[in-house]
Amino acid sequence: MKLVTTTALALCLAGAALAQNDCAAGKTLKDGTLTIATGNPAFYPWVLDDKPESGQGYEAAVAYAVAAKMGFEPDAVEWVRSSFDQAIQPGEKDFDFNLQQFSITPEREEVVDFSIPYYSSAMAVLTTDRVVEGGATATMDSLKGLVWGADANTTAVPMLQDLIGPSKDPMLYNDNVDVTAAMQAGQIDAALFDLPTALYLSAVVVEGGTILGQFPADRTENPDQFGLLMPNESPLKECVDAALQELIDAGTLAEIEKSWLEETTGVPVIE
């Protein structure tokens, strides 16, 4: 996986002007430097080993590919960290763009800018072996009867209602750490996450965690789409969008996604 991703990034760099291009000139936070933010910590498969500067992991690879298309060599990229909630608030930012699975929503677009989408997410049902052993199955009837939890600050709540319409109101929490803790404690049966995050949580965070099934992105009327987050009215938005569009048109973004998110295959599709 690492070899394929590195090759994709190398091809992208080779096809880009390795000097700051006219579009970005004078528009970055620091002259001649592209400042990119991610989470603290940042998790696999988005960032490998919490080291975005390695370019390893889906979002790290996308960040460097976008930077290259904008004319920034890797040594002209500087990484900073931010919390999710901090980044989506109005006000000045200490980054040019930030990527940590920010869903593009009209409410957020009132106070920050987003790029065109770089990922359309399949949603997955994270649960535990205990719940599956208790009879839960990857069917709508079964899912409706589960006790659900969700981060009240994310798009998980409306998506949960849209995709499943559970018979009981979901239990709401302050963040996803609280959601997974509630699942571990047996207070809830299941929660929705984007598929790569659900895979990570089931393997690393939730003891006895498992993925019951997935809803492909095209199953929803408004699939969850992630965008690079920028300060409101960012002068770089046009440059970032153009860079992403080039990566999409060339198939580079799809190649990076295949390289880093290929482990998301094999999860049952919920009918």
Side-chain angles (χ1 to χ4, degrees), residues 84-86 88-89 101-103 105 107-108 149-158 171-179:
F84 188 98
D85 290 341
Q86 172 191 359
I88 61 175
Q89 298 304 313
Q101 307 101 65
F102 294 108
S103 298
T105 69
E107 294 77 16
R108 291 174 182 171
D151 180 345
N153 302 306
T154 70
T155 56
V157 178
M171 298 181 68
L172 303 182
Y173 298 89
N174 290 325
D175 55 35
N176 283 327
V177 173
D178 290 343
V179 173

Side-chain angles (χ1 to χ4, degrees), residues 58-137:
Y58 179 67
E59 288 188 334
V62 168
Y64 277 108
V66 170
K69 286 296 183 185
M70 293 174 64
F72 292 91
E73 296 186 50
D75 61 5
V77 172
E78 180 179 303
W79 288 92
V80 296
R81 303 299 184 117
S82 79
S83 72
F84 188 98
D85 290 341
Q86 172 191 359
I88 61 175
Q89 298 304 313
E92 294 185 3
K93 310 297 182 187
D94 62 351
F95 52 78
D96 292 310
F97 65 74
N98 191 329
L99 67 172
Q100 47 178 310
Q101 307 101 65
F102 294 108
S103 298
I104 302 170
T105 69
E107 294 77 16
R108 291 174 182 171
E109 286 183 311
E110 293 180 3
V111 294
V112 295
D113 280 349
F114 286 103
S115 69
I116 60 175
Y118 66 91
Y119 179 66
S120 293
S121 178
M123 298 302 291
V125 177
L126 175 68
T127 187
T128 62
D129 292 335
R130 172 189 62 81
V131 174
V132 174
E133 290 166 2
T137 60

Side-chain angles (χ1 to χ4, degrees), residues 15 18 24 28 45 61 94 140 148 160 167 186 196-197 199 221 225 230 266:
L18 295 182
T28 53
D94 62 351
M140 293 301 295
W148 290 85
L160 179 59
S167 55
T197 298
L199 285 166
E221 199 170 303
Q225 294 184 310
M230 292 163 278

